[in-house]
Amino acid sequence: PAAAARAGEPMMSIGDKNPAKTLEMLQLNDELNTVVKSDSMCSRRHAMARAAGLAAGLAMAQVNKPGFAAATKMVKLGADNGQLVFVPDEIEICKGDSVTWTNNKAGPHNVVFDEEAIPEGVTQESISMDGLLNDEGATFTKKFDVAGSYAYYCEPHRGAGMNGALTVA
């Protein structure tokens, strides 16, 4: 019956008589098909993480939790050579991922989102930093749950062109 519903798709061999294990194997098969067929980087990444979890013996309930496949991207505030830039200055993440900005060189720095360049329903205050990062190595981390394009800048160095862009898919 399950194989008939997936006609034409590759199917892993399911010989286990345990119903829970059979469901996990069907889920693993679905995740692997998503990895192969999806055009979405986020869908492929989440499916691969869930498939790896199932293959490692984790339960379906555990790998289906929203944060299971979440990632954190790192952005430097100030280049290693002291240039007033975000490194990288453009990043793409998936909904539920986080970004950590680290004060690298030429501080103090902060991360302020442009209220005219964030998705509808997101407030500038909820995602921007309060204060400044003064010490090298100091960090600011924010999780993003709303898809869209975000523009941000370092308030003390905006005039020098210290701007960044974030896309949440």
Side-chain angles (χ1 to χ4, degrees):
R6 293 174 173 77
E9 291 188 8
M11 179 63 94
M12 295 176 58
S13 172
I14 303 173
D16 200 323
K17 301 278 188 219
N18 179 337
K21 197 49 102 175
T22 299
L23 286 174
E24 288 175 3
M25 292 304 292
L26 288 171
Q27 176 80 23
L28 176 60
N29 189 69
D30 287 345
E31 300 300 354
L32 292 173
N33 278 322
T34 298
V35 170
V36 171
K37 294 179 177 183
S38 178
D39 291 332
S40 164
M41 178 266 304
C42 294
S43 293
R44 288 192 314 269
R45 189 187 82 200
H46 287 117
M48 189 59 154
R50 287 190 302 264
L54 289 169
L58 298 177
M60 271 197 311
Q62 191 170 0
V63 300
N64 285 331
K65 289 181 181 174
F68 182 74
T72 300
K73 292 269 181 125
M74 307 299 285
V75 176
K76 290 180 181 179
L77 296 159
D80 290 341
N81 65 5
Q83 205 176 2
L84 297 173
V85 294
F86 291 100
V87 180
D89 62 351
E90 294 181 9
I91 55 173
E92 182 176 344
I93 64 172
C94 302
K95 284 185 353 182
D97 287 353
S98 297
V99 178
T100 295
W101 288 269
T102 302
N103 190 5
N104 186 46
K105 297 282 183 191
H109 296 293
N110 66 1
V111 178
V112 178
F113 285 84
D114 183 342
E115 64 186 338
E116 302 295 321
I118 56 177
E120 188 174 326
V122 177
T123 63
Q124 180 189 34
E125 298 79 27
S126 69
I127 57 176
S128 295
M129 273 187 68
D130 288 331
L132 296 168
L133 297 175
N134 291 303
D135 299 327
E136 285 188 16
T139 62
F140 169 69
T141 300
K142 185 54 75 177
K143 179 180 173 188
F144 294 87
D145 293 315
V146 177
S149 297
Y150 296 73
Y152 60 92
Y153 55 90
C154 172
E155 198 165 37
H157 303 116
R158 189 176 195 184
M162 193 167 175
N163 301 298
L166 167 67
T167 303
V168 180

